[in-house]
Amino acid sequence: MSRPVHRKPEYHKINKDLFVLTYGALVAQLCKDYQRDEDVNKYLDEMGYSIGTRLVEDFLARSCVRRCHSFSEIIDIIAQVAFKMYLGVTPSVTCNNPSRNEFSLILDQNPLAEFVEELPAGRPSLSYCSLLCGILRGGLEMVHLAADVRFLQDRLKGDSVTEIGIRFLQTRDEKKYRWKK
């Protein structure tokens, strides 16, 4: 009897443009359904959180990344591997404080806002891409890292770049647990 041949799993990708246009239609519909920008932002963040909690498994299976030992390693993996894998861009990373628990991901081009020229009229506080913040927060929580993730700058609001701020809310405990005898 022969053994089954182990094949590399096939991953089906959707067209990036189709995803971006579908996302734009979703945001437009949410703007019609909710009067307040805060409600739309909250809904997009919650939806992103749900995606992030599921996407982290796919990421870990496909990327074969090793265990990270610091917040800066985690942020580098997110920027160089995850963003490239799922969005096709690589943001630059900056550290915002000496305790090294606050970082910024700076996107020169935001793929979710590729076909958006400006925010809808009368929606000044709409955070169009808050889905990304939810995805990052959900993925980090699934690997037991609580984080506050928010947009610090947004090109759609007139800033020169899109900047996502990530602040880790807990310190990493590096203790090794041993069996009691």
Side-chain angles (χ1 to χ4, degrees), residues 53 86 103 156:
T53 59
Y86 294 108
F103 299 87
L156 294 176

Side-chain angles (χ1 to χ4, degrees), residues 10 15 20 28 35 85 109 154 161 166 175:
E10 294 181 26
N15 184 321
V20 171
Q35 297 297 319
M85 185 184 293
Q109 294 180 335
D154 193 347
V161 294
I166 300 173
K175 290 182 183 177

Side-chain angles (χ1 to χ4, degrees), residues 28-58:
Q29 185 61 48
L30 289 173
C31 287
K32 289 178 185 175
D33 292 346
Y34 295 102
Q35 297 297 319
R36 297 178 45 227
D37 291 345
E38 293 77 21
D39 295 335
V40 176
N41 295 342
K42 182 180 176 188
Y43 189 87
L44 289 171
D45 184 72
E46 289 172 357
M47 194 166 78
Y49 179 84
S50 292
I51 292 169
T53 59
R54 290 163 181 80
L55 196 63
V56 72
E57 291 178 24
D58 179 65

Side-chain angles (χ1 to χ4, degrees), residues 75 91-96 102-106 152 163-166:
I75 293 298
S92 56
V93 177
T94 60
C95 181
N96 297 339
E102 291 184 25
F103 299 87
S104 289
L105 299 174
I106 300 171
L152 302 176
E163 180 179 2
I164 301 172
I166 300 173

Side-chain angles (χ1 to χ4, degrees), residues 91-92 105-110 113 129 132 151-156 159-164:
S92 56
L105 299 174
I106 300 171
L107 295 159
D108 292 326
Q109 294 180 335
N110 183 349
C129 297
L132 291 176
F151 275 97
L152 302 176
Q153 295 184 63
D154 193 347
R155 275 187 180 220
L156 294 176
D159 297 317
S160 60
V161 294
T162 299
E163 180 179 2
I164 301 172

Side-chain angles (χ1 to χ4, degrees), residues 7-8 30 52 59 64 72 105 121-122 140 144 155-156 161 169:
R7 294 182 187 171
K8 187 176 180 179
L30 289 173
F59 171 73
C64 300
S72 59
L105 299 174
L140 288 168
H144 306 289
R155 275 187 180 220
L156 294 176
V161 294
L169 301 176

Side-chain angles (χ1 to χ4, degrees), residues 9-179:
E10 294 181 26
Y11 296 101
H12 301 284
K13 293 184 178 183
I14 66 165
N15 184 321
K16 182 181 102 174
D17 293 341
L18 174 65
F19 173 70
V20 171
L21 290 172
T22 304
Y23 180 73
L26 170 73
V27 174
Q29 185 61 48
L30 289 173
C31 287
K32 289 178 185 175
D33 292 346
Y34 295 102
Q35 297 297 319
R36 297 178 45 227
D37 291 345
E38 293 77 21
D39 295 335
V40 176
N41 295 342
K42 182 180 176 188
Y43 189 87
L44 289 171
D45 184 72
E46 289 172 357
M47 194 166 78
Y49 179 84
S50 292
I51 292 169
T53 59
R54 290 163 181 80
L55 196 63
V56 72
E57 291 178 24
D58 179 65
F59 171 73
L60 292 173
R62 289 176 60 193
S63 66
C64 300
V65 295
R66 65 189 191 295
R67 183 169 185 241
C68 296
H69 298 285
S70 68
F71 293 136
S72 59
E73 282 184 57
I74 293 166
I75 293 298
D76 286 339
I77 294 292
I78 289 171
Q80 296 171 5
V81 181
F83 267 81
K84 185 70 171 173
M85 185 184 293
Y86 294 108
L87 294 174
V89 296
T90 304
S92 56
V93 177
T94 60
C95 181
N96 297 339
N97 68 353
S99 63
R100 304 203 44 87
N101 71 332
E102 291 184 25
F103 299 87
S104 289
L105 299 174
I106 300 171
L107 295 159
D108 292 326
Q109 294 180 335
N110 183 349
L112 287 183
E114 190 172 318
F115 299 117
V116 180
E117 292 182 15
E118 59 186 27
L119 292 175
R123 297 283 186 171
S125 60
L126 177 67
S127 182
Y128 183 82
C129 297
S130 59
L131 180 90
L132 291 176
C133 293
I135 290 172
L136 290 168
R137 189 172 52 85
L140 288 168
E141 283 190 22
M142 288 307 291
V143 292
H144 306 289
L145 292 170
D148 178 31
V149 184
R150 64 181 64 180
F151 275 97
L152 302 176
Q153 295 184 63
D154 193 347
R155 275 187 180 220
L156 294 176
K157 294 184 178 181
D159 297 317
S160 60
V161 294
T162 299
E163 180 179 2
I164 301 172
I166 300 173
R167 182 171 53 99
F168 290 98
L169 301 176
Q170 62 189 22
T171 58
R172 289 187 44 91
D173 188 8
E174 299 297 339
K175 290 182 183 177
K176 303 283 185 191
Y177 295 100
R178 297 180 188 196
W179 290 95

